Amino acid sequence: MGTTVAAGAPAAGPAAGPAATAGAPDKPTIRYTEYGIPHIIAADLAGLGEGYGYAAAKDNICTLADTYLMVNAQRSRYLGPNGKASPGQNQNVTTNLNSDLYFQRINDNRVVEGLIDQPAPRGPEPEVKEAIRGYVQGYNRYLAETGVGNITDPACRGAAWVRPITELDVYRHAHAEIIMGSADPLVDGEVNAAPPGASVAAQPGAAQPAAAAPQLSPEETGNRIREAMAAARQQGSMGSNALAVGAQGVSGGTSMLLANPHFPWQGKNRMWQAQLTIPGRFNVSGASLLGLPAVNIGHNDDVAWSHTVATVAPFGLFDVQVDPLHPTNYLVDGVWTPMTSQQVGVDVLNPDGSVGRVTRTLWATRYGPITTSVQGIPLPWVVSAHAVRDANMDNLRALNTWFHLDQAKDVNEVVNVLETTEGVPFFNTVASDRKGNALYADIQATPNITDAHAQSCLTLTGQILFNQSLRQPNVPPVSIFDGKRSECDWPNDSNAVAPGLMDPHRQPRLIRSDFVGNANDSAWLANPEQPLSFPRVMGDSAAPRTLRTQQLILTAQNRINGTDGLPGRGFTPETMRQLLFSDHSRAADLALNATVSACQGAPFGLVLVDGNLVNISEACPILAAWNHDFTPDSRGSWLFENVWFLLGGGQAIEKLPWRVPFDPKDPVHTPNSLDAGNDVVRNSVARAVLSLRNAGIALDARLSEVQKVTRNGEQIPVPGAIHETGVLNVVTPGTVDGKFDITFGSSFIQETRFTADGPPQASSVLAYSQSANPNSPHYADQTKLFSTGQWAPERYTEEQIAASPALEVKVLD
């Protein structure tokens, strides 16, 4: 595990001197190396954008065209209103019709056009506009050269919805990515919101009005929203690990970075790998969300960085009292104010092939749109209504953020970029630099909600949701404020880039020479030797960490101290790769022995559970022999994963039957010592045994026999496990179009090392490969690397690129 491979021949060694020495070509040029990775070189940013657009379209034209269909609110027109759409983070979360209505409202209000027209930093910088102009040229050039009817991907070959794009399409796509932290939980509630007595009508894809839903108590509402958002984050959303190691934690270098984002394996949020070079000016390598012509996660000559999903809620709600006789009037500061209504219409493909029109009346207040649900939990519009304010609705600044991160010289410059753009849209940033520094920063577009402001303005439901008395891991503290008082709106701060945002200088950051990291918990334990403090809106502190956070910290501490069983001390590229793909489970370390004891303690090996008498004796020796790892050959791992999931591990870790409870003074090692005598443990074993037997899966099946992905009829084993097991290499199985698949998990993985001089040294693997096209040679090639824990050595210098035995050159002349 953790070896580095190259196709055809070993990679060339690091070259001396500057990373890019060749002169700029007259025309944008794409050099393809192993696994179809494009190295794009040009004389200017327009040329880089053109090369990126051409290469991205070549690999993923159907995925991109589908994304432009979505942001232009035309899915119902071409694919029908009842099909599934994924406007935000999750897969298949709403109907095409609801997605279209959501984006059509944004388009009718010219939100994106207004942002484009603003000067930087609120609007895109001239260099960003230049790159996007080039991207559009490159995308359209590929489409013109190929022709819609000759596209090799059957997902869109000959489709009427595949068309040339405009710059506005790209900005709309970027904006959709930036707001996706709010889109998923709110789309359905916003487009189906109707005042009491009204209805969204019997239209295709229409949900029942939320006012018809049962009225819940404030406590029930707060708890159900929190639980629903926790489930969404755990079961098909996004996450990430990132570990930055400074000079004190590296052997044979000045710093290292591990980037391990967990993103969807299908759809618009696929990541795509590339290198972008303007000789002497710009040289960056890594991956981006497909269709954004910049590197979002990667490295340049001096800095490597990654992002992880943060615990800041990018939106907040305002509870507004409505007039019972005129429920579209709401009370603010003692004055009744009419809501604004907006007719939003989209074209819809009817069953007979004709095209109809669906129109809805959508409502808004001074705070933002009305919603009647959050993550599917009803917020009935009865005596009050709930309005949404989205911290990222006016954010295109993220494009400027990534453009400047691509050129940062050290971690202090990274901090400056984050503060001056305030464009990161719900992510942490973890970085290392050549100087030996490791940075953690949660500097992003955060609502300006101080603890005092929150406690003054939270409703009863808001207090339950925001304060999370029964904590769920990774759940952002969503605020619900009293909308009757205008003083409860998010206040403006003169140091913030945009209205309603928090002063970026007040947001947490930490620079150290040993390590910092994040695995989607809050900023509190970026390094346990130096806990951070921050406003409650940014997450919790002195509370249990997820097992993945514990595993990340322990991995770093043990390697730096040399107590992990591997030779030496400090990270090297080899140990970094090996430790990620060891697929070691923190849950197993804490609970396997007790689980085995509970199993062995069943009288005659029998357990009565859910009306079934289950013999679990066969499971006990299998669990006892398991080595705590989720590698493809492991036996017992799939059984334990089912036991742990049924036990409830990860959803609220402190609620499990531990003998030693959580101690904020020892957050990395507590809670611990699972109570083997608790019936819930033995019952979870029985349920897992019954489940596997009913599915025809042997209790001692190798992971490779169960967890695999099918590519062109070939079944490829997939290592890793669900988040709840405390495995860093997260993999979440599910169904796509009714078939078993991996829905999300490790995507673009990269380890980068800096030394005192010479180019950075990096290896990477893109778990689902560069192309979603089943007819592409790069549809599954890196997936096979990922399957066996192997990595592709990066070709970064001109000498390394030229030495590739797979080299193919495309000049856009």
Side-chain angles (χ1 to χ4, degrees), residues 83 158 182 199 233 299 335 381 422 437 484 517 541:
S182 303
S199 171
R233 282 211 165 195
H299 71 83
V335 178
W381 184 346
E422 213 166 349
N437 299 305
K484 296 190 301 298
S541 59

Side-chain angles (χ1 to χ4, degrees), residues 22-279:
D26 293 335
K27 301 293 183 180
T29 302
I30 308 169
R31 291 83 53 82
Y32 289 100
T33 59
E34 293 90 338
Y35 309 107
I37 296 171
H39 305 260
I40 302 161
I41 187 168
D44 53 30
L45 286 161
L48 283 187
E50 184 176 0
Y52 182 107
Y54 187 96
K58 180 175 180 288
D59 282 342
N60 291 289
I61 185 72
C62 294
T63 302
L64 286 166
D66 183 78
T67 299
Y68 302 132
L69 191 69
M70 179 192 76
V71 299
N72 284 293
Q74 295 181 322
R75 293 185 64 83
S76 299
R77 164 67 179 84
Y78 290 99
L79 306 177
N82 297 315
K84 296 297 184 180
S86 179
Q89 302 174 63
N90 302 330
Q91 299 295 302
N92 301 331
V93 296
T94 192
T95 64
N96 287 338
L97 179 60
N98 284 355
S99 173
D100 287 344
L101 291 166
Y102 179 82
F103 284 108
Q104 190 61 52
R105 172 193 249 176
I106 293 173
N107 297 345
D108 286 348
N109 292 336
R110 297 180 59 82
V111 171
V112 176
E113 293 91 327
L115 295 173
I116 296 170
D117 290 341
Q118 292 192 41
R122 297 287 299 280
E125 296 192 8
E127 293 87 351
V128 171
K129 292 183 176 181
E130 186 180 348
I132 288 178
R133 280 195 297 271
Y135 172 88
V136 170
Q137 293 173 355
Y139 180 100
N140 289 342
R141 175 175 180 155
Y142 174 79
L143 186 59
E145 287 181 2
T146 304
V148 175
N150 296 319
I151 291 172
T152 61
D153 190 341
C156 68
R157 183 188 303 126
W161 46 270
V162 181
R163 58 167 179 79
I165 61 171
T166 67
E167 293 170 33
L168 181 57
D169 292 325
V170 183
Y171 287 114
R172 283 178 172 173
H173 174 204
H175 186 254
E177 297 294 342
I178 292 165
I179 65 173
M180 66 180 171
S182 303
D184 270 354
L186 295 168
V187 167
D188 292 338
E190 288 187 22
V191 302
N192 289 318
S199 171
V200 294
Q203 298 165 342
Q208 291 298 314
Q215 185 82 36
L216 301 175
S217 71
E219 293 85 354
E220 291 173 319
T221 300
N223 287 328
R224 287 184 61 182
I225 292 174
R226 184 184 63 247
E227 291 166 1
M229 295 192 71
R233 282 211 165 195
Q234 304 295 343
Q235 298 172 7
S237 179
M238 290 185 183
S240 299
N241 307 309
L243 176 66
V245 185
Q248 291 185 11
V250 174
S251 175
T254 57
S255 74
M256 291 191 68
L257 181 90
L258 173 68
N260 179 210
H262 306 147
F263 272 58
W265 278 36
Q266 301 86 20
K268 73 181 183 68
N269 290 326
R270 284 177 64 102
M271 301 198 78
W272 185 74
Q273 189 172 357
Q275 181 180 2
L276 306 174
T277 304
I278 300 173

Side-chain angles (χ1 to χ4, degrees), residues 753-772:
R753 177 172 65 171
F754 293 104
T755 54
D757 52 24
Q761 302 154 14
S763 296
S764 65
V765 61
L766 185 60
Y768 37 67
S769 304
Q770 283 280 85
S771 178

Side-chain angles (χ1 to χ4, degrees), residues 259 273 580-581 746-751 763-769 781-787 789-792:
Q273 189 172 357
L580 178 67
F581 278 133
S746 288
S747 51
F748 174 70
I749 310 171
Q750 185 175 65
E751 57 84 14
S763 296
S764 65
V765 61
L766 185 60
Y768 37 67
S769 304
D781 50 357
Q782 289 198 66
T783 308
K784 294 176 182 178
L785 287 187
F786 178 72
S787 173
Q790 299 182 83
W791 303 62

Side-chain angles (χ1 to χ4, degrees), residues 247-329:
Q248 291 185 11
V250 174
S251 175
T254 57
S255 74
M256 291 191 68
L257 181 90
L258 173 68
N260 179 210
H262 306 147
F263 272 58
W265 278 36
Q266 301 86 20
K268 73 181 183 68
N269 290 326
R270 284 177 64 102
M271 301 198 78
W272 185 74
Q273 189 172 357
Q275 181 180 2
L276 306 174
T277 304
I278 300 173
R281 178 186 173 192
F282 195 96
N283 195 22
V284 61
S285 180
S288 61
L289 290 172
L290 182 64
L292 303 184
V295 168
N296 303 147
I297 291 174
H299 71 83
N300 57 32
D301 287 353
D302 300 300
V303 176
W305 73 96
S306 189
H307 296 299
T308 61
V309 176
T311 54
V312 173
F315 68 93
L317 302 177
F318 291 84
D319 186 318
V320 294
Q321 181 181 333
V322 299
D323 183 340
L325 299 179
H326 304 282
T328 58
N329 290 341

